[in-house]
Amino acid sequence: MQSDAGEVIGISVDFSRAVIARLGCKAKLRKLPWARALKEFENGRLDILPDAFRSPERESYAFFSGPVVPASRNILFIHSRLKENFSATNLIDLKNTSFRLGAQIGVIYGQSYEDLMNSREFAQRTVKVSKRSNLWMMLGKNRIDGVIASELTGMYEINQLGLTDNIEATQIVASGDQAEFAFSKVSTSASFNLAFTSIARELVLDGTYKRIKEHYVSF
């Protein structure tokens, strides 16, 4: 996320900075749409990609840290006008409805989302854009009905955008899979992956991660 002063901030950003500082290095951040970041990462123009989900395709060009921080669920957020009559209990319940879903290009949302995209009609109706901030604005203006996003990040961003009266979190979990740190096989080494991961786990155990998280969210 971007602060009022223009600085890139957030749980993953602050935690990554802390790990890299402990390694005796300094982070140089690049703020990119996710799909472009993946391509830059694959080509070795980015060294580390936080909050990445493992897949066979990505393992061909990336080392992965394995689980480090507690999992953050991807959940469905909906427009507040739908709350009273919303009866779906999982994503697949939306398949034969007129629900208009918004998603980010290149983001892995989990198997339930993939199953939903197997419905050609629903997939054609799904709006895909590069920036999640655009999805929140579309949802706030009732141009779409729902967005899948990280529970923690989503609640923070909705609050920052002043959309808490327009957008509601649901209990529908798209994915509870563990995101990981990914390291480019082009520009980093397996030994760097191990060193980074070891320090990251130390900073979880000593409470550093918890303090960073609580700076942004209070639950």
Side-chain angles (χ1 to χ4, degrees), residues 149-161:
S150 163
E151 184 174 17
L152 297 180
T153 304
M155 289 183 173
Y156 182 85
E157 290 178 343
I158 290 165
N159 181 65
Q160 291 297 103
L161 291 168

Side-chain angles (χ1 to χ4, degrees), residues 158-177:
I158 290 165
N159 181 65
Q160 291 297 103
L161 291 168
L163 294 172
T164 52
D165 291 336
N166 303 88
I167 301 174
E168 299 275 346
T170 73
Q171 296 300 310
I172 294 180
V173 178
S175 171
D177 295 340

Side-chain angles (χ1 to χ4, degrees), residues 26-200:
K26 185 176 180 180
K28 181 179 180 181
L29 300 178
R30 291 186 61 193
K31 188 170 182 288
L32 300 168
W34 182 255
R36 184 180 167 196
L38 277 175
K39 182 56 64 176
E40 292 288 283
F41 179 74
E42 181 179 359
N43 291 330
R45 292 189 287 269
L46 291 178
D47 304 314
I48 305 173
L49 197 61
D51 292 335
F53 286 97
R54 186 188 295 253
S55 72
E57 178 188 1
R58 292 177 182 177
E59 285 182 308
S60 68
Y61 55 80
F63 303 109
F64 281 88
S65 64
V68 175
V69 301
S72 176
R73 305 182 303 171
N74 280 324
I75 68 170
L76 177 68
F77 293 84
I78 61 171
H79 193 279
S80 299
R81 67 176 176 79
L82 299 175
K83 182 181 179 182
E84 185 175 347
N85 297 314
F86 191 76
S87 59
T89 58
N90 53 64
L91 281 183
I92 205 65
D93 289 343
L94 304 175
K95 181 177 179 180
N96 296 315
T97 71
S98 60
F99 192 90
R100 299 166 299 171
L101 183 65
Q104 275 183 272
I105 297 169
V107 174
I108 295 175
Y109 290 112
Q111 188 58 51
S112 58
Y113 172 79
E114 296 301 323
D115 292 342
L116 192 58
M117 290 300 103
N118 286 334
S119 167
R120 183 178 179 182
E121 182 180 349
F122 194 96
Q124 289 177 336
R125 194 168 61 249
T126 298
V127 177
K128 295 184 179 181
V129 300
S130 60
K131 295 183 179 179
R132 190 171 55 245
S133 57
N134 292 342
L135 291 175
W136 294 134
M137 299 306 295
M138 292 172 68
L139 183 55
K141 293 177 181 178
N142 198 27
R143 292 171 57 192
I144 55 177
D145 299 317
V147 172
I148 300 171
S150 163
E151 184 174 17
L152 297 180
T153 304
M155 289 183 173
Y156 182 85
E157 290 178 343
I158 290 165
N159 181 65
Q160 291 297 103
L161 291 168
L163 294 172
T164 52
D165 291 336
N166 303 88
I167 301 174
E168 299 275 346
T170 73
Q171 296 300 310
I172 294 180
V173 178
S175 171
D177 295 340
Q178 178 72 63
E180 304 177 33
F181 288 94
F183 306 89
S184 171
K185 287 184 176 179
V186 175
S187 62
T188 71
S189 64
S191 60
F192 178 81
N193 171 9
L194 293 174
F196 184 102
T197 302
S198 176
I199 290 175

